[in-house]
């Protein structure tokens, strides 16, 4: 590699006033892992939030009973404190409780869709799933079971969007984090 110092400071290969050539610099390449991040379309996320919170507000007015399955994707909501009027049941859940859910509950709120998707198939009660974009992509069968999707926020932007929609749906602030 020839020195470009004699080319002057305006040559594309020279490094400004010091006269050292850029081509003479040693660059080390750092190997980096390839990572993939799943994102959900913000508009579709907004529509899912509106639909889910509208249903929750109706259930709140009707003082409905809701069965909660799992505890994975809670994303900072105090379900029992935030939705006063809705009776949440988080007891021990087995196949018998799930199969008799239409008799005792008006909705099932599933916070761990990967675990419960198979058991919730063909129930005659609305099923609301809290799922991340990764879970939906890796397990598309979740969408076959889901009646209402409540996207689990994966960033501050998603959490802020959820909070704004909850404030609109329930009037007042969503102080559950």
């Amino acid at each position: 590699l020839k020195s470009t110092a004699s080319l002057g400071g305006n040559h594309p290969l020279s490094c400004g006033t010091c006269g050292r050539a850029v081509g003479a610099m040693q660059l080390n390449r750092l190997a980096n892992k390839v990572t993939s991040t799943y994102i959900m379309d913000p508009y579709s996320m907004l529509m899912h939030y509106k639909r889910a919170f509208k249903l929750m507000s109706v259930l709140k007015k009707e003082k409905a009973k809701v069965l909660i399955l799992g505890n994975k994707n809670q994303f900072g909501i105090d379900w029992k404190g935030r939705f006063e009027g809705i009776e949440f049941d988080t007891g021990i859940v087995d196949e018998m409780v799930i199969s008799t859910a239409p008799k005792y509950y008006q909705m099932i709120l599933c916070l761990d869709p990967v675990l419960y998707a198979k058991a919730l198939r063909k129930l005659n009660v609305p099923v609301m799933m809290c799922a991340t974009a990764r879970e939906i992509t890796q397990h598309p069968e979740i969408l076959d079971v889901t009646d209402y999707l409540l996207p689990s926020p994966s960033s501050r932007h998603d959490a802020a969007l959820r909070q704004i929609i909850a404030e609109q749906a329930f009037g007042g602030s969503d102080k559950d984090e």
Side-chain angles (χ1 to χ4, degrees):
L1 191 65
K2 293 185 177 182
S3 173
T4 58
S6 62
L7 297 175
N10 292 334
H11 193 274
L13 292 179
S14 67
C15 181
T17 59
C18 64
R20 290 191 345 217
V22 173
M25 291 176 54
Q26 289 192 4
L27 301 173
N28 293 324
R29 182 172 180 259
L30 299 174
N32 204 359
K33 286 188 207 177
V34 175
T35 58
S36 61
T37 304
Y38 298 93
I39 59 172
M40 186 178 282
D41 176 43
Y43 182 74
S44 65
M45 185 178 286
L46 173 76
M47 300 315 315
H48 284 296
Y49 281 140
K50 281 186 172 184
R51 186 170 184 243
F53 285 133
K54 185 176 180 180
L55 175 68
M56 294 295 278
S57 66
V58 169
L59 290 174
K60 184 176 180 178
K61 287 177 188 171
E62 298 294 324
K63 300 194 183 310
K65 287 183 72 173
V66 176
L67 175 64
I68 297 181
L69 301 177
N71 60 2
K72 186 176 179 185
N73 293 319
Q74 293 187 24
F75 58 86
I77 290 184
D78 176 20
W79 294 103
K80 291 183 181 179
R82 178 65 185 138
F83 302 102
E84 292 175 21
I86 299 177
E87 186 180 334
F88 290 102
D89 190 3
T90 58
I92 297 172
V93 178
D94 58 1
E95 284 184 32
M96 188 63 153
V97 172
I98 293 173
S99 64
T100 60
K103 185 176 181 180
Y104 300 106
Y105 301 100
Q106 282 72 43
M107 186 180 80
I108 295 177
L109 176 62
C110 183
L111 302 176
D112 194 353
V114 176
L115 182 63
Y116 290 103
K118 192 172 184 179
L120 293 173
R121 201 173 287 276
K122 297 184 182 176
L123 280 181
N124 291 330
V125 64
V127 176
M128 182 182 293
M129 295 269 191
C130 296
T132 63
R134 174 179 293 240
E135 289 172 337
I136 293 169
T137 304
Q138 292 177 346
H139 304 280
E141 67 273 6
I142 291 171
L143 297 176
D144 294 335
V145 178
T146 304
D147 296 313
Y148 295 88
L149 180 64
L150 188 58
S152 185
S154 56
S155 68
R156 285 186 189 174
H157 174 267
D158 297 346
L161 182 64
R162 176 197 44 98
Q163 184 175 352
I164 290 169
I165 299 303
E167 286 175 6
Q168 288 177 353
F170 297 106
S173 63
D174 188 21
K175 302 279 185 194
D176 38 42
E177 302 196 78

